[in-house]
């Protein structure tokens, strides 16, 4: 069965021979279509067998795969599984293949974040090589991926895992950008092989249904990240210290410096020094420097900075009126801040419900926004140069001349009521996901 389902060797052969590029691409697309269509038939059969096996179990094993701690969306959902008598959840930690650290350092960075969690499993051996699934996962389990393309070994590819397990997935962010086209968000292998996809909105559900040869079901539950709005402890980050500052601002730069496909949200190259200047100029303001988790690697990979220069720059953000914030739960600083300055797409959506002002840093190479993204983008301020940034800080943040506030409030009200957006699932997504799975196996 496994040999029939794996066309990898033929694809490797195709890559090795000299064939016209367009012809090769066409052949690959035909192969992909055949592979996925054939798999749909096979995996429907396999899924029925796995589901029957899971329903016969007294307790179902649930594995949460973590390759990047920054993309951990599942804390509330994990806690719900942990409290249940029906499920036995575990977190499997791997190295992050998207940074410049050694396998050991990368693994330890992820592992140290989760060290106080129960039921933690190391996904590496003593040499920090990634273990095979059969060394970790019990046959016939439920598996959650943290992202669609984790840098793991081939054994962990969705088409291999789906042979013996059910795959569930929640997008790690709320997709509102058009970067690399819709297929890069909705038509990936993980989506095809997932038993259930729990997506952000009805709009996203329609896109998944359009592009995904899904063998299971796609359910709009809202996004678990927004559940953070209901967690009271998120509202108390460094409360005593921050009282000493008149305002608090987040600067969150994107990672796409000199992207090889020309998709650049990032403005870091042109304003990274300017933000240090602003930090010194406005000493009564507390600054949260919250870069995208891939920014460090991209800076090194593109030779924009040497490793030592990068470390020096990042350290400059840890002083009296600023900090380099790299905790996965950035909602703590969302609620502590007075405004956000960013070129990151997902933050634009997630920060909206704070009601606070946002300045979008324009790169001039941004590929634009999807239908939901355009609505959000239109209620924010824009910066095309340093003067625009300074004006936002002085007028909107300090003087509170927030002329776009009424537009944001109307959009928030619309999104929370509109059936095509959040469909009354907002801020309760984790519970919806858990109930869907729990009821299915009851």
């Amino acid at each position: 069965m496994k040999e029939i389902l794996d066309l990898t060797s033929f694809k490797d052969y195709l890559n090795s021979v000299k064939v016209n590029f367009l012809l090769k691409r066409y052949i690959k697309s035909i192969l992909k279509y055949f592979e996925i269509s054939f798999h749909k038939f096979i995996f429907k059969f396999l899924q029925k067998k796995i589901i029957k096996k899971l329903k016969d179990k007294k307790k179902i094993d649930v594995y949460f795969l973590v390759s990047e701690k920054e993309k951990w969306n599942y804390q509330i959902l994990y806690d719900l599984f942990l409290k249940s008598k029906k499920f036995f959840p575990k977190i499997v930690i791997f190295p992050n293949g998207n940074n410049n650290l050694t396998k050991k350092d990368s693994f330890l960075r992820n592992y140290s974040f989760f060290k106080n969690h129960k039921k933690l499993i190391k996904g590496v051996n003593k040499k920090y090589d990634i273990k095979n699934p059969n060394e970790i996962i019990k046959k016939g389990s439920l598996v959650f991926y943290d992202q669609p393309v984790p840098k793991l070994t081939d054994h962990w590819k969705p088409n291999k895992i789906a042979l013996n397990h059910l795959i569930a997935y929640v997008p790690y962010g709320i997709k509102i950008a058009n970067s690399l086209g819709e297929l890069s968000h909705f038509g990936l292998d993980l989506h095809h092989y997932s038993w259930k996809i729990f997506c952000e909105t009805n709009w996203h559900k329609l896109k998944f249904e359009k592009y995904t040869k899904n063998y299971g079901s796609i359910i709009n539950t809202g996004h678990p990240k927004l559940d953070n709005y209901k967690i009271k402890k998120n509202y108390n980050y460094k409360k005593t210290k921050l009282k000493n500052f008149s305002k608090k601002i987040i600067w969150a730069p994107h990672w796409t410096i000199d992207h090889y496909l020309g998709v650049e949200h990032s403005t870091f190259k042109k304003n990274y020094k300017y933000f240090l200047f602003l930090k010194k100029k406005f000493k009564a303001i507390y600054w949260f420097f919250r870069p995208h988790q891939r920014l460090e690697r991209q800076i090194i990979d593109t030779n924009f900075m040497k490793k030592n220069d990068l470390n020096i720059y990042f350290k400059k953000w840890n002083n009296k009126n600023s900090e380099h914030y790299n905790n996965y739960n950035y909602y703590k600083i969302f609620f502590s801040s007075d405004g956000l300055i960013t070129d990151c797409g997902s933050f634009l959506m997630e920060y909206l419900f704070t009601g606070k002002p946002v300045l979008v840093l324009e790169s001039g190479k941004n590929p634009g926004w999807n239908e939901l993204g355009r609505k959000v983008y239109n209620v924010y301020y824009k910066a095309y140069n340093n003067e625009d940034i300074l004006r936002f800080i002085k007028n909107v943040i300090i003087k509170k001349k927030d002329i776009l506030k009424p537009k944001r409030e109307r959009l928030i009200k619309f999104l929370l009521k509109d059936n095509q957006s959040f469909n009354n699932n907002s801020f309760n997504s984790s519970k919806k996901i858990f109930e869907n799975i729990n009821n299915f196996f009851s």
Side-chain angles (χ1 to χ4, degrees), residues 9-149:
S9 58
F10 184 78
K11 290 176 186 174
D12 290 342
Y13 167 75
L14 192 63
N15 287 329
S16 67
V17 297
K18 291 184 178 180
V19 180
N20 177 276
F21 172 76
L22 290 176
L23 178 60
K24 188 184 289 188
R25 189 173 182 180
Y26 178 71
I27 294 170
K28 282 186 175 180
S29 67
I30 295 292
L31 279 173
K32 190 68 178 176
Y33 180 82
F34 169 77
E35 182 180 16
I36 292 171
S37 298
F38 179 61
H39 283 195
K40 184 172 185 177
F41 172 76
I42 297 298
F43 277 92
K44 279 289 185 183
F45 171 75
L46 290 175
Q47 275 188 358
K48 287 180 180 178
K49 288 183 67 177
I50 297 168
I51 288 168
K52 186 178 184 304
K53 185 176 181 179
L54 288 174
K55 285 190 172 183
D56 289 340
K57 283 187 174 183
K58 289 183 178 180
K59 201 151 191 174
I60 296 172
D61 293 286
V62 184
Y63 295 85
F64 291 87
L65 310 185
V66 177
S67 57
E68 290 188 50
K69 64 180 176 64
E70 294 86 355
K71 291 179 178 174
W72 176 245
N73 288 328
Y74 296 123
Q75 186 59 54
I76 300 171
L77 179 61
Y78 172 78
D79 290 339
L80 289 170
F81 276 116
L82 200 61
K83 292 175 184 175
S84 170
K85 294 180 180 179
K86 192 175 189 62
F87 299 96
F88 188 40
K90 286 148 278 195
I91 301 173
V92 186
I93 308 296
F94 300 99
N96 177 5
N98 286 316
N99 60 32
N100 293 92
L101 300 175
T102 63
K103 289 185 293 185
K104 178 181 177 180
D105 290 342
S106 178
F107 169 78
L108 292 175
R109 178 185 279 193
N110 280 337
Y111 191 81
S112 63
F113 174 77
F114 290 94
K115 63 184 178 183
N116 294 325
H117 283 65
K118 297 178 180 179
K119 314 302 179 186
L120 208 58
I121 297 175
K122 293 181 180 180
V124 295
N125 58 26
K126 290 181 179 179
K127 293 182 179 180
Y128 294 95
D129 293 322
I130 294 172
K131 292 180 180 179
N132 289 338
N134 57 12
E135 298 178 73
I136 298 172
I137 303 178
K138 293 180 181 179
K139 196 170 183 180
S141 298
L142 179 59
V143 179
F144 281 86
Y145 280 73
D146 66 340
Q147 57 181 311
V149 192

Side-chain angles (χ1 to χ4, degrees), residues 54 85 124-125 154 224 232 292 299 314 316 326 361 366:
L54 288 174
K85 294 180 180 179
V124 295
N125 58 26
D154 284 353
K232 291 182 179 179
H292 190 284
I299 287 172
F314 275 48
K316 286 180 179 178
N326 60 4
L361 301 172
N366 189 319

Side-chain angles (χ1 to χ4, degrees), residues 173-428:
I174 302 174
K175 300 298 182 186
I176 65 169
N178 270 340
S179 55
L180 304 180
E182 290 184 341
L183 270 173
S184 68
H185 295 316
F186 303 105
L188 301 174
D189 279 357
L190 178 64
H191 305 144
H192 297 309
Y193 294 105
S194 289
W195 164 62
K196 286 181 183 285
I197 296 173
F198 300 98
C199 66
E200 308 98 301
T201 70
N202 277 344
W203 184 89
H204 293 88
K205 183 178 188 290
L206 291 174
K207 293 299 178 182
F208 274 118
E209 289 173 345
K210 178 180 178 180
Y211 292 106
T212 302
K213 290 184 178 298
N214 185 260
Y215 312 145
S217 56
I218 299 161
I219 306 117
N220 168 23
T221 55
H223 202 283
K225 280 189 174 181
L226 297 180
D227 293 355
N228 280 285
Y229 278 90
K230 284 188 172 180
I231 301 175
K232 291 182 179 179
K233 65 180 180 181
N234 284 337
Y235 291 80
N236 296 314
Y237 182 71
K238 293 189 175 180
K239 206 168 185 179
T240 304
K241 179 179 180 178
L242 294 178
K243 282 182 180 178
N244 298 321
F245 296 90
S246 60
K247 300 293 178 182
K248 284 78 66 179
I249 296 176
I250 302 169
W251 174 41
H254 200 250
W255 67 273
T256 45
I257 296 173
D258 296 332
H259 195 279
Y260 73 101
L261 291 175
V263 178
E264 291 187 35
H265 294 272
S266 180
T267 58
F268 183 81
K269 280 180 72 172
K270 71 178 184 181
N271 58 30
Y272 75 104
K273 289 182 180 178
Y274 185 63
F275 275 97
L276 284 180
F277 163 77
L278 291 173
K279 184 170 75 77
K280 292 177 182 178
K281 178 179 176 64
F282 295 100
K283 293 181 179 177
I285 294 176
Y286 193 84
W287 296 81
F288 296 105
F289 173 52
R290 207 293 180 181
H292 190 284
Q293 62 269 14
R294 287 189 64 180
L295 179 61
E296 291 183 60
R297 174 173 181 168
Q298 190 72 359
I299 287 172
I300 299 299
D301 286 352
T302 57
N303 296 314
F304 179 58
M305 289 184 191
K306 300 296 182 185
K307 182 67 175 176
N308 187 56
D309 296 329
L310 172 68
N311 291 336
I312 291 170
Y313 179 82
F314 275 48
K315 283 178 181 177
K316 286 180 179 178
W317 285 94
N318 289 319
N319 62 14
K320 291 181 180 178
N321 76 320
S322 65
E323 66 177 275
H324 171 204
Y325 186 89
N326 60 4
N327 191 300
Y328 88 98
N329 187 359
Y330 43 77
Y331 279 86
K332 290 182 178 182
I333 60 173
F334 275 15
F335 303 141
S336 299
S337 66
D338 294 288
L340 169 68
I341 301 175
T342 189
D343 42 31
C344 288
S346 60
F347 272 21
L348 300 184
M349 184 72 245
E350 294 175 52
Y351 195 80
L352 174 69
F353 298 100
T354 66
K356 300 169 186 177
V358 174
L359 181 68
V360 182
L361 301 172
E362 295 286 3
S363 67
K365 297 180 180 179
N366 189 319
W369 312 95
N370 62 32
E371 184 183 333
L372 177 61
R374 286 192 293 273
K375 291 175 183 177
V376 176
Y377 175 78
N378 288 335
V379 300
Y380 289 148
Y381 301 90
K382 318 296 187 301
Y384 300 89
N385 51 51
N386 291 344
E387 289 74 23
D388 291 337
I389 299 172
L390 186 61
R391 193 179 300 114
F392 174 79
I393 294 169
K394 286 183 175 180
N395 294 337
V396 181
I397 300 298
I398 296 175
K399 295 180 181 178
K400 296 184 178 180
K401 295 181 179 180
D402 186 1
I403 60 173
L404 292 179
K405 186 175 181 179
K407 288 185 71 175
R408 292 196 305 277
E409 289 174 342
R410 286 196 295 271
L411 179 60
I412 292 169
K413 189 175 181 180
F414 168 77
L415 290 176
L416 292 178
K417 287 185 177 181
D418 178 31
N419 188 53
Q420 293 303 310
S421 54
F422 290 89
N423 195 22
N424 299 319
N425 291 321
S426 305
F427 318 148
N428 206 21

